[in-house]
Amino acid sequence: MTSIAVAGGTGVLGARIVEAVRNHGATPVVIARSQGVDLTTGAGLDRALDGVDVVVDASNVTTLRTKPAIAFFEAACGQLLAAEQRAGVRHHLAVSIVGCDRVDVPYYLGKRRQEELVRAGGMPWTIVRATQFHEFAGQLLERARGPVALVPKMLTQPVAAHQLAELLVRVALGEPQGLAPDVGGPEQHQLPDLARRVLDRDGSRRRVLAVPVPGRTGRQIGDGGLLTGEGATILDETFDTWLGVGRQTGA
């Protein structure tokens, strides 16, 4: 039976990938600190990857600064690739972000560095870039404090994390592809509008203030930098479906 290790296997996407691995009849191995594995130091990695065929890297760090983002992905990806070579893993799949190569958000600079390491790391590889998840607006609201939530004004194309997880496992079980087609959701939305709809669903009286993203980064986002391009894979679950609202005909 194929064994698939999921780095970041307890996160929003990672937990769904673990579930999808089971749905496909493979054996999941969760790589996370809660499982005694530290990606940034490599502690526990050799043991975790013993007998593993494929690694899906959905690891993540919460930061708004460039240096910590780059430092995390350099350390985590470097340790992971080295351990994979020692273990004889046949396929490394990295989950990245649509637009990380053209939008200069600090976190995205870390993802760029991760992609560079994967390409040069000596492992057979696939990189799948996906858009933000439906959960993203709610995550921003959770991090904001007070009665008014500041949400960046950005055009996004949210995707269902559970559908993305299924796609990632199918790709992981196949042959390495290099840079795979972008993956996104079926609709484009302004992020502050999605945040307002999450609050409406929850019956919250909090307000959302849309904040323009300044400078070059704002222009990159405004030019569609976070949207999928030609040839992308579009998954069909809408934000309304995920939110449990549904559309009324003619509304």
Side-chain angles (χ1 to χ4, degrees):
M1 182 179 291
T2 301
S3 178
I4 300 179
V6 183
T10 58
V12 171
L13 178 62
R16 288 166 172 80
I17 296 172
V18 170
E19 182 180 357
V21 169
R22 294 193 180 100
N23 292 342
H24 282 264
T27 301
V29 175
V30 176
I31 296 178
R33 283 196 177 96
S34 62
Q35 303 300 310
V37 184
D38 189 330
L39 278 177
T40 59
T41 66
L45 260 180
D46 288 336
R47 171 183 53 80
L49 294 183
D50 185 25
V52 164
D53 303 291
V54 180
V55 170
V56 178
D57 185 4
S59 61
N60 186 34
V61 63
T62 302
T63 181
L64 298 175
R65 295 185 295 151
T66 299
K67 286 185 178 180
I70 292 176
F72 171 81
F73 286 111
E74 279 188 339
C77 187
Q79 293 286 358
L80 194 53
L81 292 169
E84 288 172 14
Q85 290 181 338
R86 293 192 295 270
V89 171
R90 70 166 183 84
H91 186 185
H92 177 97
L93 191 160
V95 185
S96 192
I97 303 174
V98 168
C100 72
D101 58 332
R102 56 183 183 262
V103 177
D104 297 324
V105 174
Y107 179 79
Y108 287 13
L109 300 181
K111 297 300 287 185
R112 284 185 205 174
R113 182 60 182 145
Q114 179 189 23
E115 289 192 5
E116 291 170 359
L117 292 171
V118 170
R119 292 170 188 268
M123 287 292 301
W125 59 273
T126 301
I127 293 172
V128 177
R129 293 172 177 165
T131 56
Q132 289 77 26
F133 310 140
H134 290 319
E135 289 87 351
F136 184 53
Q139 290 173 327
L140 291 181
L141 291 171
E142 289 174 2
R143 294 170 194 163
R145 302 277 183 180
V148 178
L150 306 181
V151 177
K153 185 178 180 180
M154 50 188 273
L155 188 61
T156 185
Q157 189 179 341
V159 68
H162 72 96
Q163 289 189 325
L164 175 61
E166 288 288 335
L167 179 147
L168 291 170
V169 173
R170 292 195 299 270
V171 173
L173 290 169
E175 294 300 315
Q177 299 181 24
L179 182 61
D182 289 350
V183 182
E187 300 172 330
Q188 298 175 12
H189 297 276
Q190 279 291 342
L191 186 58
D193 293 338
L194 300 185
R196 293 184 184 103
R197 289 157 71 179
V198 170
L199 293 176
D200 287 344
R201 179 201 62 184
D202 295 343
S204 173
R205 300 181 66 180
R206 295 178 71 195
R207 293 177 55 234
V208 169
L209 180 61
V211 180
V213 179
R216 179 181 177 184
T217 301
R219 292 192 295 272
Q220 292 166 336
I221 292 172
D223 290 339
L226 301 180
L227 307 179
T228 59
E230 190 173 340
T233 300
I234 304 301
L235 304 181
D236 64 3
E237 183 173 284
T238 66
F239 188 80
D240 277 349
T241 298
W242 173 82
L243 198 62
V245 173
R247 288 215 174 97
Q248 297 180 4
T249 302

